[in-house]
Structure formats: structure tokens, C-alpha cells
Amino acid sequence: MSFGHHFLRTPEAVAGALILAALVAMALTAPLLFPRDPLSIAGPALLPPFQDWSLPLGTDRLGRDVLAELFHGARTSIAVGLAAAATSIAIGAIVGTLAGFAGGLTDEVLMRITDAFQTVPGFLLALAFVSVVGPSLAVVVIAIALGAWTGPARVARAEVLSIRERDYVASARVIGMHPLEIAFREVLPNALPPVLALSSIIVAAAILVEAALSFLGLGDPNRVTWGGMIAEGRAVLRSAPFLSIIPGIALVLTVLGVYLAGEGVVEASAARKRQS
């Protein structure tokens, strides 16, 4: 049975995939459905949802379209989540491969550096980095990756330690391949699958960290973010709770969808291995 059949037979995986498909559809159609700047004034301030069908989810304190902000916020969440996951996995895979393959002093130094980063909570590290460097989308991605690369590094190192003594690695040494070429061309590709399994957790955590930074006013000021929308609604929480509830629900569903889809991929891969 193929991977796709195993995946589709897992209810939580299907639910996660449907949520992610809706999120991607929102992100892709945002410029088409809402071509205007989502931060521009669209109507009267604090218009409740379903009062004006040209503004179905109402407006915020400045009269901006909540639905347009929600769709454009999905673009920011996807961009930050995927970019932070790719950056942290790349850094972690390189560090873990070098540590596991070289061994000795190199392994010791790289693992102590990893321990040092791991002792600091990821959110505090991101908060400090963005506060010093300044808020922008690229800075937020780097800040999140700084706190997330340690997990992939440890997994990659463990896999490399189990792979580096195999016959094909010894054969590569015998024919005179450079150690770095062996590490990154022969060993790393076989060590990557367990590392990539962490991607769903990193994406979900990155989306939450970005939302928290935006809530504190440390997100990119030129982009709509769900965390910023929640913070915007905080001042009128009693009179217009929908301003915080709507992006909050979107954030929860997105993180849930990423987690469920990631778990479905892991379960489908495990089921396929058991059958093969």
C-alpha cells in the first residue's frame, strides 16, 4: 500500500491536510480577493461582523477590513513558518553532520554550543534578538531559527553516528573522497528523514512565536499578522471581542492543522515501513 493510502486512512492526517489546504488557499488568493492594501481604511470603525456583506467580518478600530487582514495574515504565517523551519533544519543538519562525522574535539565543541543555545528558551532568544536588531520579517525568521536548530542538530548527529561506519561510507574513504564530500554527499542524505520529521513541530512553533512577537509589537510593522490583529483587538476586548477572537481561532486552527498533518505523515511513513 502506498504512502498516500496510509495517509488518507488516518483521520487526523486528513483533517490536518484540509486545514492546511484552506490556509494555503487563503494565502494564495489574498492578493486576488483583496488587492488593496489590507492596512488601508475600508469602512466605518468597529463595524460588527455580518452587518455589511461587503465587509463580512467587520472592521477594526481604524476601519480596516478584518477579512482582508485575516487572508493577508495567512501569507505571513506561512512565510514565517516555512522559512524558519527550512533555516533551522539546514543549520541543524549541517552542525549535526559535522559533529557526528568528525567526532573528537569538533563534536565536543559543536555539542557544547548546541547545549548553550538549548539552555535559553526559544521565545526569549527570539525576543532578545528582535529587540536588538529591529523588527522585520527576515529578522523574525532568523530569530526563530536561532532557537529551533538545536533539535535537528541532535537528531542529525545521532543518525550520522549510526551511519558513518557503514560499508558504503568505508568504500567512499577507500576511493579517496574528501571527508566533507563523504559527510554531505553520502551520509547526510541518509540521515535527513528523521530530521525532516521535526519540520511540522518547528513550523507550528514558529507560527506561534511570530504571533507572540507581533502581539508584543515586535513583528514586521509593514505586514499584517494574526498576532498584531489580536493585539489590536485587546484595547476593545469588551466592546468588540471579535477583533481578537477571529485571528485567535485562525491561529489555533493553523497550528492544529500543521501538527495533525505532521503526525499523519509520521504515522503513514511508519505504517509503510512495517509493510515493506
Side-chain angles (χ1 to χ4, degrees), residues 203-272:
V203 170
I207 292 172
L208 286 176
V209 171
E210 185 278 327
L213 291 173
S214 296
F215 181 82
L216 296 175
L218 293 173
D220 190 333
N222 299 315
R223 287 180 176 267
V224 178
T225 64
W226 289 341
M229 292 175 67
I230 295 172
E232 174 70 22
R234 179 178 52 180
V236 289
L237 193 58
R238 292 191 176 184
S239 59
F242 67 92
L243 293 179
S244 292
I245 291 174
I246 291 173
I249 291 174
L251 189 60
V252 169
L253 288 176
T254 298
V255 173
L256 182 64
V258 171
Y259 176 77
L260 290 177
E263 286 296 301
V265 170
V266 172
E267 289 183 17
S269 299
R272 188 180 179 187

Short mmCIF file of all heavy atoms in Angstrom, two decimals, residues 203-272:
data_model
loop_
_atom_site.label_atom_id
_atom_site.label_comp_id
_atom_site.label_asym_id
_atom_site.label_seq_id
_atom_site.Cartn_x
_atom_site.Cartn_y
_atom_site.Cartn_z
N VAL A 203 7.49 24.24 12.37
CA VAL A 203 6.59 25.18 11.68
C VAL A 203 5.52 25.68 12.65
O VAL A 203 5.24 26.90 12.73
CB VAL A 203 5.94 24.51 10.46
CG1 VAL A 203 4.82 25.39 9.90
CG2 VAL A 203 6.97 24.26 9.37
N ALA A 204 4.89 24.77 13.40
CA ALA A 204 3.85 25.16 14.35
C ALA A 204 4.41 26.11 15.40
O ALA A 204 3.79 27.14 15.73
CB ALA A 204 3.25 23.92 15.00
N ALA A 205 5.58 25.77 15.95
CA ALA A 205 6.19 26.63 16.97
C ALA A 205 6.56 27.99 16.39
O ALA A 205 6.40 29.02 17.05
CB ALA A 205 7.43 25.94 17.55
N ALA A 206 7.06 28.01 15.14
CA ALA A 206 7.44 29.27 14.51
C ALA A 206 6.23 30.19 14.33
O ALA A 206 6.33 31.41 14.55
CB ALA A 206 8.10 29.00 13.16
N ILE A 207 5.11 29.63 13.93
CA ILE A 207 3.89 30.43 13.75
C ILE A 207 3.46 31.05 15.09
O ILE A 207 3.08 32.22 15.16
CB ILE A 207 2.78 29.57 13.14
CG1 ILE A 207 3.13 29.20 11.69
CG2 ILE A 207 1.44 30.30 13.19
CD1 ILE A 207 2.17 28.21 11.07
N LEU A 208 3.55 30.25 16.15
CA LEU A 208 3.17 30.76 17.48
C LEU A 208 4.13 31.84 17.96
O LEU A 208 3.71 32.85 18.52
CB LEU A 208 3.13 29.61 18.48
CG LEU A 208 1.93 28.65 18.37
CD1 LEU A 208 2.08 27.51 19.37
CD2 LEU A 208 0.63 29.40 18.63
N VAL A 209 5.43 31.62 17.76
CA VAL A 209 6.42 32.61 18.20
C VAL A 209 6.25 33.91 17.43
O VAL A 209 6.30 35.01 18.01
CB VAL A 209 7.85 32.06 18.04
CG1 VAL A 209 8.89 33.15 18.29
CG2 VAL A 209 8.09 30.91 19.01
N GLU A 210 6.03 33.81 16.12
CA GLU A 210 5.82 35.02 15.31
C GLU A 210 4.59 35.77 15.79
O GLU A 210 4.61 37.01 15.90
CB GLU A 210 5.68 34.64 13.83
CG GLU A 210 5.58 35.82 12.89
CD GLU A 210 4.18 36.41 12.80
OE1 GLU A 210 3.20 35.63 12.91
OE2 GLU A 210 4.07 37.64 12.66
N ALA A 211 3.52 35.04 16.11
CA ALA A 211 2.30 35.68 16.60
C ALA A 211 2.55 36.36 17.94
O ALA A 211 2.05 37.48 18.19
CB ALA A 211 1.18 34.65 16.72
N ALA A 212 3.33 35.70 18.81
CA ALA A 212 3.63 36.29 20.12
C ALA A 212 4.47 37.55 19.97
O ALA A 212 4.24 38.56 20.66
CB ALA A 212 4.35 35.27 20.98
N LEU A 213 5.46 37.52 19.07
CA LEU A 213 6.29 38.71 18.84
C LEU A 213 5.45 39.85 18.28
O LEU A 213 5.60 41.02 18.69
CB LEU A 213 7.43 38.38 17.89
CG LEU A 213 8.52 37.44 18.43
CD1 LEU A 213 9.50 37.06 17.32
CD2 LEU A 213 9.27 38.09 19.58
N SER A 214 4.56 39.53 17.34
CA SER A 214 3.70 40.57 16.77
C SER A 214 2.74 41.12 17.83
O SER A 214 2.45 42.32 17.85
CB SER A 214 2.90 40.01 15.59
OG SER A 214 3.76 39.62 14.54
N PHE A 215 2.27 40.26 18.70
CA PHE A 215 1.38 40.70 19.78
C PHE A 215 2.08 41.71 20.68
O PHE A 215 1.46 42.65 21.19
CB PHE A 215 0.93 39.48 20.59
CG PHE A 215 0.00 39.80 21.72
CD1 PHE A 215 -1.36 39.99 21.48
CD2 PHE A 215 0.47 39.93 23.02
CE1 PHE A 215 -2.23 40.30 22.53
CE2 PHE A 215 -0.39 40.25 24.07
CZ PHE A 215 -1.74 40.43 23.82
N LEU A 216 3.39 41.51 20.87
CA LEU A 216 4.18 42.42 21.72
C LEU A 216 4.68 43.64 20.95
O LEU A 216 5.42 44.46 21.52
CB LEU A 216 5.36 41.66 22.32
CG LEU A 216 5.01 40.52 23.28
CD1 LEU A 216 6.26 39.77 23.69
CD2 LEU A 216 4.28 41.06 24.50
N GLY A 217 4.31 43.75 19.67
CA GLY A 217 4.73 44.89 18.88
C GLY A 217 6.10 44.74 18.25
O GLY A 217 6.71 45.73 17.82
N LEU A 218 6.60 43.50 18.16
CA LEU A 218 7.93 43.25 17.60
C LEU A 218 7.87 42.52 16.27
O LEU A 218 8.88 41.98 15.83
CB LEU A 218 8.78 42.46 18.60
CG LEU A 218 9.15 43.20 19.90
CD1 LEU A 218 9.83 42.26 20.88
CD2 LEU A 218 10.03 44.40 19.60
N GLY A 219 6.71 42.49 15.64
CA GLY A 219 6.59 41.92 14.31
C GLY A 219 6.91 42.96 13.25
O GLY A 219 7.16 44.13 13.55
N ASP A 220 6.90 42.52 12.00
CA ASP A 220 7.16 43.44 10.89
C ASP A 220 6.01 44.45 10.81
O ASP A 220 4.86 44.06 10.57
CB ASP A 220 7.26 42.64 9.58
CG ASP A 220 7.76 43.49 8.42
OD1 ASP A 220 7.53 44.71 8.43
OD2 ASP A 220 8.37 42.92 7.50
N PRO A 221 6.27 45.76 11.00
CA PRO A 221 5.18 46.74 11.01
C PRO A 221 4.53 46.94 9.65
O PRO A 221 3.44 47.53 9.56
CB PRO A 221 5.88 48.03 11.48
CG PRO A 221 7.31 47.84 11.10
CD PRO A 221 7.59 46.37 11.22
N ASN A 222 5.18 46.47 8.59
CA ASN A 222 4.64 46.66 7.24
C ASN A 222 3.80 45.48 6.77
O ASN A 222 3.34 45.48 5.63
CB ASN A 222 5.79 46.89 6.25
CG ASN A 222 6.59 48.13 6.59
OD1 ASN A 222 6.02 49.18 6.90
ND2 ASN A 222 7.91 48.01 6.57
N ARG A 223 3.61 44.49 7.61
CA ARG A 223 2.85 43.30 7.24
C ARG A 223 1.73 43.05 8.24
O ARG A 223 1.89 43.29 9.44
CB ARG A 223 3.75 42.06 7.16
CG ARG A 223 4.66 42.05 5.95
CD ARG A 223 5.52 40.80 5.95
NE ARG A 223 6.34 40.69 4.77
CZ ARG A 223 6.00 40.05 3.66
NH1 ARG A 223 4.83 39.45 3.60
NH2 ARG A 223 6.81 39.99 2.64
N VAL A 224 0.62 42.54 7.73
CA VAL A 224 -0.47 42.13 8.62
C VAL A 224 -0.12 40.78 9.23
O VAL A 224 0.29 39.86 8.53
CB VAL A 224 -1.79 42.01 7.83
CG1 VAL A 224 -2.92 41.54 8.75
CG2 VAL A 224 -2.16 43.33 7.20
N THR A 225 -0.27 40.68 10.53
CA THR A 225 -0.03 39.42 11.22
C THR A 225 -1.19 39.13 12.15
O THR A 225 -1.83 40.06 12.66
CB THR A 225 1.27 39.47 12.05
OG1 THR A 225 1.14 40.45 13.08
CG2 THR A 225 2.47 39.83 11.17
N TRP A 226 -1.45 37.86 12.38
CA TRP A 226 -2.54 37.50 13.28
C TRP A 226 -2.25 37.93 14.70
O TRP A 226 -3.16 38.33 15.43
CB TRP A 226 -2.78 35.99 13.20
CG TRP A 226 -3.40 35.58 11.90
CD1 TRP A 226 -4.05 36.38 11.01
CD2 TRP A 226 -3.43 34.27 11.33
NE1 TRP A 226 -4.48 35.65 9.93
CE2 TRP A 226 -4.12 34.35 10.09
CE3 TRP A 226 -2.95 33.03 11.74
CZ2 TRP A 226 -4.33 33.25 9.28
CZ3 TRP A 226 -3.16 31.92 10.93
CH2 TRP A 226 -3.84 32.03 9.72
N GLY A 227 -0.99 37.85 15.13
CA GLY A 227 -0.64 38.33 16.46
C GLY A 227 -0.90 39.82 16.61
O GLY A 227 -1.38 40.28 17.64
N GLY A 228 -0.58 40.59 15.57
CA GLY A 228 -0.86 42.01 15.59
C GLY A 228 -2.35 42.31 15.63
O GLY A 228 -2.80 43.26 16.30
N MET A 229 -3.15 41.49 14.94
CA MET A 229 -4.60 41.67 14.96
C MET A 229 -5.16 41.40 16.36
O MET A 229 -6.04 42.12 16.85
CB MET A 229 -5.27 40.73 13.95
CG MET A 229 -4.97 41.06 12.49
SD MET A 229 -5.66 39.84 11.35
CE MET A 229 -7.43 40.10 11.59
N ILE A 230 -4.63 40.36 17.01
CA ILE A 230 -5.08 40.06 18.38
C ILE A 230 -4.71 41.20 19.32
O ILE A 230 -5.52 41.61 20.16
CB ILE A 230 -4.45 38.74 18.87
CG1 ILE A 230 -4.96 37.56 18.02
CG2 ILE A 230 -4.77 38.49 20.34
CD1 ILE A 230 -4.26 36.25 18.29
N ALA A 231 -3.51 41.74 19.16
CA ALA A 231 -3.09 42.87 19.99
C ALA A 231 -3.94 44.10 19.72
O ALA A 231 -4.29 44.85 20.64
CB ALA A 231 -1.62 43.18 19.72
N GLU A 232 -4.32 44.31 18.45
CA GLU A 232 -5.15 45.46 18.09
C GLU A 232 -6.52 45.37 18.76
O GLU A 232 -7.08 46.38 19.20
CB GLU A 232 -5.32 45.51 16.57
CG GLU A 232 -6.26 46.56 16.05
CD GLU A 232 -5.74 47.98 16.21
OE1 GLU A 232 -4.49 48.13 16.33
OE2 GLU A 232 -6.56 48.90 16.23
N GLY A 233 -7.06 44.16 18.86
CA GLY A 233 -8.37 43.99 19.48
C GLY A 233 -8.35 43.99 20.99
O GLY A 233 -9.42 44.05 21.63
N ARG A 234 -7.16 43.93 21.58
CA ARG A 234 -7.06 43.87 23.04
C ARG A 234 -7.63 45.14 23.69
O ARG A 234 -8.24 45.06 24.76
CB ARG A 234 -5.59 43.70 23.42
CG ARG A 234 -5.29 43.65 24.90
CD ARG A 234 -3.82 43.43 25.12
NE ARG A 234 -3.02 44.40 24.35
CZ ARG A 234 -1.69 44.43 24.37
NH1 ARG A 234 -1.01 43.53 25.06
NH2 ARG A 234 -1.05 45.34 23.65
N ALA A 235 -7.45 46.29 23.06
CA ALA A 235 -7.91 47.56 23.65
C ALA A 235 -9.43 47.66 23.68
O ALA A 235 -9.98 48.43 24.48
CB ALA A 235 -7.32 48.74 22.86
N VAL A 236 -10.11 46.92 22.81
CA VAL A 236 -11.58 46.98 22.77
C VAL A 236 -12.17 45.59 22.98
O VAL A 236 -13.16 45.22 22.37
CB VAL A 236 -12.06 47.58 21.42
CG1 VAL A 236 -11.75 49.06 21.36
CG2 VAL A 236 -11.43 46.86 20.23
N LEU A 237 -11.53 44.82 23.86
CA LEU A 237 -11.91 43.42 24.03
C LEU A 237 -13.36 43.27 24.52
O LEU A 237 -14.05 42.33 24.13
CB LEU A 237 -10.95 42.74 25.01
CG LEU A 237 -11.00 41.22 25.08
CD1 LEU A 237 -10.73 40.61 23.71
CD2 LEU A 237 -10.01 40.69 26.10
N ARG A 238 -13.82 44.18 25.35
CA ARG A 238 -15.18 44.06 25.87
C ARG A 238 -16.23 44.51 24.86
O ARG A 238 -17.30 43.90 24.75
CB ARG A 238 -15.32 44.89 27.15
CG ARG A 238 -14.51 44.34 28.31
CD ARG A 238 -14.87 45.02 29.61
NE ARG A 238 -14.17 44.43 30.73
CZ ARG A 238 -14.35 44.79 32.00
NH1 ARG A 238 -15.23 45.75 32.29
NH2 ARG A 238 -13.66 44.21 32.96
N SER A 239 -15.96 45.56 24.14
CA SER A 239 -16.94 46.09 23.20
C SER A 239 -16.89 45.41 21.83
O SER A 239 -17.90 45.34 21.14
CB SER A 239 -16.75 47.60 23.02
OG SER A 239 -15.45 47.87 22.54
N ALA A 240 -15.72 44.92 21.43
CA ALA A 240 -15.58 44.28 20.12
C ALA A 240 -14.67 43.06 20.23
O ALA A 240 -13.56 43.05 19.69
CB ALA A 240 -15.03 45.27 19.10
N PRO A 241 -15.09 42.03 20.95
CA PRO A 241 -14.22 40.85 21.17
C PRO A 241 -13.88 40.11 19.88
O PRO A 241 -12.88 39.39 19.83
CB PRO A 241 -15.05 39.97 22.11
CG PRO A 241 -16.47 40.39 21.89
CD PRO A 241 -16.41 41.86 21.59
N PHE A 242 -14.69 40.29 18.83
CA PHE A 242 -14.43 39.57 17.57
C PHE A 242 -13.08 39.94 16.97
O PHE A 242 -12.49 39.15 16.23
CB PHE A 242 -15.55 39.84 16.56
CG PHE A 242 -15.62 41.26 16.06
CD1 PHE A 242 -14.94 41.63 14.91
CD2 PHE A 242 -16.37 42.23 16.72
CE1 PHE A 242 -15.00 42.93 14.42
CE2 PHE A 242 -16.44 43.53 16.26
CZ PHE A 242 -15.75 43.89 15.11
N LEU A 243 -12.56 41.12 17.28
CA LEU A 243 -11.28 41.54 16.71
C LEU A 243 -10.13 40.65 17.18
O LEU A 243 -9.14 40.48 16.46
CB LEU A 243 -10.99 43.01 17.06
CG LEU A 243 -11.90 44.05 16.43
CD1 LEU A 243 -11.51 45.44 16.87
CD2 LEU A 243 -11.85 43.94 14.91
N SER A 244 -10.24 40.10 18.38
CA SER A 244 -9.22 39.18 18.88
C SER A 244 -9.61 37.73 18.68
O SER A 244 -8.74 36.87 18.47
CB SER A 244 -8.97 39.44 20.38
OG SER A 244 -8.36 40.70 20.58
N ILE A 245 -10.91 37.45 18.75
CA ILE A 245 -11.36 36.05 18.65
C ILE A 245 -11.13 35.48 17.25
O ILE A 245 -10.65 34.35 17.11
CB ILE A 245 -12.86 35.96 19.03
CG1 ILE A 245 -13.03 36.24 20.52
CG2 ILE A 245 -13.41 34.57 18.68
CD1 ILE A 245 -14.48 36.31 20.97
N ILE A 246 -11.43 36.26 16.21
CA ILE A 246 -11.31 35.74 14.84
C ILE A 246 -9.87 35.36 14.49
O ILE A 246 -9.61 34.23 14.06
CB ILE A 246 -11.89 36.76 13.82
CG1 ILE A 246 -13.41 36.84 13.99
CG2 ILE A 246 -11.53 36.37 12.40
CD1 ILE A 246 -14.06 37.93 13.16
N PRO A 247 -8.88 36.24 14.65
CA PRO A 247 -7.50 35.81 14.37
C PRO A 247 -6.99 34.76 15.35
O PRO A 247 -6.16 33.92 14.99
CB PRO A 247 -6.68 37.10 14.48
CG PRO A 247 -7.50 38.01 15.31
CD PRO A 247 -8.93 37.68 15.00
N GLY A 248 -7.52 34.76 16.57
CA GLY A 248 -7.13 33.74 17.54
C GLY A 248 -7.56 32.34 17.09
O GLY A 248 -6.80 31.38 17.19
N ILE A 249 -8.79 32.25 16.59
CA ILE A 249 -9.28 30.96 16.08
C ILE A 249 -8.45 30.53 14.87
O ILE A 249 -8.09 29.35 14.74
CB ILE A 249 -10.77 31.07 15.71
CG1 ILE A 249 -11.62 31.24 16.97
CG2 ILE A 249 -11.23 29.85 14.92
CD1 ILE A 249 -13.09 31.52 16.69
N ALA A 250 -8.14 31.47 13.98
CA ALA A 250 -7.32 31.14 12.80
C ALA A 250 -5.95 30.61 13.23
O ALA A 250 -5.44 29.64 12.65
CB ALA A 250 -7.16 32.37 11.92
N LEU A 251 -5.37 31.23 14.25
CA LEU A 251 -4.06 30.80 14.73
C LEU A 251 -4.12 29.40 15.32
O LEU A 251 -3.26 28.55 15.04
CB LEU A 251 -3.58 31.81 15.78
CG LEU A 251 -2.14 31.69 16.27
CD1 LEU A 251 -1.15 31.85 15.13
CD2 LEU A 251 -1.88 32.73 17.35
N VAL A 252 -5.13 29.14 16.14
CA VAL A 252 -5.28 27.81 16.75
C VAL A 252 -5.49 26.74 15.68
O VAL A 252 -4.86 25.67 15.73
CB VAL A 252 -6.46 27.82 17.75
CG1 VAL A 252 -6.79 26.39 18.20
CG2 VAL A 252 -6.12 28.67 18.96
N LEU A 253 -6.36 27.01 14.72
CA LEU A 253 -6.63 26.02 13.67
C LEU A 253 -5.38 25.76 12.82
O LEU A 253 -5.12 24.61 12.43
CB LEU A 253 -7.76 26.51 12.77
CG LEU A 253 -9.17 26.48 13.38
CD1 LEU A 253 -10.19 27.07 12.43
CD2 LEU A 253 -9.56 25.05 13.75
N THR A 254 -4.60 26.80 12.56
CA THR A 254 -3.40 26.62 11.75
C THR A 254 -2.38 25.73 12.46
O THR A 254 -1.84 24.79 11.87
CB THR A 254 -2.76 27.99 11.45
OG1 THR A 254 -3.68 28.76 10.69
CG2 THR A 254 -1.47 27.81 10.65
N VAL A 255 -2.12 26.03 13.72
CA VAL A 255 -1.16 25.23 14.49
C VAL A 255 -1.66 23.79 14.62
O VAL A 255 -0.89 22.83 14.48
CB VAL A 255 -0.92 25.85 15.87
CG1 VAL A 255 -0.07 24.93 16.74
CG2 VAL A 255 -0.25 27.21 15.73
N LEU A 256 -2.96 23.63 14.87
CA LEU A 256 -3.55 22.29 14.97
C LEU A 256 -3.41 21.55 13.64
O LEU A 256 -3.06 20.35 13.62
CB LEU A 256 -5.02 22.40 15.37
CG LEU A 256 -5.77 21.08 15.57
CD1 LEU A 256 -5.17 20.29 16.73
CD2 LEU A 256 -7.25 21.35 15.83
N GLY A 257 -3.68 22.24 12.53
CA GLY A 257 -3.57 21.60 11.22
C GLY A 257 -2.16 21.16 10.91
O GLY A 257 -1.93 20.05 10.40
N VAL A 258 -1.18 22.00 11.22
CA VAL A 258 0.22 21.64 10.98
C VAL A 258 0.60 20.42 11.81
O VAL A 258 1.24 19.48 11.31
CB VAL A 258 1.15 22.83 11.32
CG1 VAL A 258 2.62 22.40 11.29
CG2 VAL A 258 0.93 23.97 10.34
N TYR A 259 0.21 20.42 13.07
CA TYR A 259 0.55 19.30 13.95
C TYR A 259 -0.10 18.00 13.49
O TYR A 259 0.56 16.96 13.41
CB TYR A 259 0.12 19.62 15.38
CG TYR A 259 0.35 18.48 16.34
CD1 TYR A 259 1.63 18.19 16.82
CD2 TYR A 259 -0.70 17.67 16.75
CE1 TYR A 259 1.84 17.14 17.69
CE2 TYR A 259 -0.50 16.61 17.62
CZ TYR A 259 0.77 16.35 18.09
OH TYR A 259 0.98 15.29 18.95
N LEU A 260 -1.39 18.06 13.16
CA LEU A 260 -2.10 16.84 12.75
C LEU A 260 -1.54 16.30 11.43
O LEU A 260 -1.36 15.08 11.28
CB LEU A 260 -3.59 17.13 12.60
CG LEU A 260 -4.36 17.39 13.90
CD1 LEU A 260 -5.82 17.73 13.59
CD2 LEU A 260 -4.29 16.19 14.83
N ALA A 261 -1.26 17.19 10.49
CA ALA A 261 -0.70 16.74 9.21
C ALA A 261 0.68 16.13 9.42
O ALA A 261 1.02 15.11 8.80
CB ALA A 261 -0.63 17.91 8.23
N GLY A 262 1.49 16.74 10.28
CA GLY A 262 2.82 16.19 10.56
C GLY A 262 2.74 14.82 11.21
O GLY A 262 3.49 13.90 10.84
N GLU A 263 1.84 14.67 12.17
CA GLU A 263 1.66 13.36 12.81
C GLU A 263 1.18 12.33 11.80
O GLU A 263 1.58 11.16 11.84
CB GLU A 263 0.65 13.49 13.95
CG GLU A 263 1.19 14.19 15.18
CD GLU A 263 2.31 13.41 15.83
OE1 GLU A 263 2.10 12.26 16.22
OE2 GLU A 263 3.43 13.96 15.94
N GLY A 264 0.30 12.74 10.88
CA GLY A 264 -0.18 11.82 9.85
C GLY A 264 0.93 11.35 8.95
O GLY A 264 0.98 10.17 8.56
N VAL A 265 1.84 12.26 8.58
CA VAL A 265 2.98 11.88 7.74
C VAL A 265 3.86 10.86 8.45
O VAL A 265 4.30 9.86 7.86
CB VAL A 265 3.79 13.13 7.35
CG1 VAL A 265 5.11 12.73 6.69
CG2 VAL A 265 2.99 14.02 6.41
N VAL A 266 4.13 11.10 9.74
CA VAL A 266 4.97 10.17 10.51
C VAL A 266 4.30 8.80 10.61
O VAL A 266 4.95 7.76 10.42
CB VAL A 266 5.24 10.75 11.92
CG1 VAL A 266 5.93 9.71 12.79
CG2 VAL A 266 6.09 12.00 11.82
N GLU A 267 3.00 8.78 10.92
CA GLU A 267 2.29 7.51 11.06
C GLU A 267 2.21 6.77 9.73
O GLU A 267 2.37 5.54 9.68
CB GLU A 267 0.88 7.75 11.61
CG GLU A 267 0.86 8.17 13.07
CD GLU A 267 -0.56 8.33 13.59
OE1 GLU A 267 -1.49 7.81 12.94
OE2 GLU A 267 -0.73 8.97 14.64
N ALA A 268 1.96 7.49 8.64
CA ALA A 268 1.90 6.85 7.33
C ALA A 268 3.25 6.28 6.93
O ALA A 268 3.33 5.18 6.37
CB ALA A 268 1.41 7.85 6.28
N SER A 269 4.33 7.00 7.23
CA SER A 269 5.68 6.50 6.92
C SER A 269 5.99 5.26 7.72
O SER A 269 6.55 4.28 7.20
CB SER A 269 6.72 7.59 7.22
OG SER A 269 6.49 8.74 6.43
N ALA A 270 5.61 5.27 9.01
CA ALA A 270 5.86 4.10 9.86
C ALA A 270 5.06 2.89 9.38
O ALA A 270 5.57 1.76 9.34
CB ALA A 270 5.52 4.44 11.30
N ALA A 271 3.79 3.12 9.00
CA ALA A 271 2.96 2.01 8.52
C ALA A 271 3.50 1.43 7.22
O ALA A 271 3.48 0.21 7.02
CB ALA A 271 1.52 2.52 8.31
N ARG A 272 4.02 2.30 6.36
CA ARG A 272 4.58 1.81 5.10
C ARG A 272 5.84 0.99 5.35
O ARG A 272 6.08 -0.02 4.69
CB ARG A 272 4.88 2.99 4.19
CG ARG A 272 5.28 2.57 2.78
CD ARG A 272 5.58 3.76 1.92
NE ARG A 272 5.97 3.35 0.58
CZ ARG A 272 6.41 4.18 -0.34
NH1 ARG A 272 6.51 5.47 -0.07
NH2 ARG A 272 6.74 3.74 -1.54
#
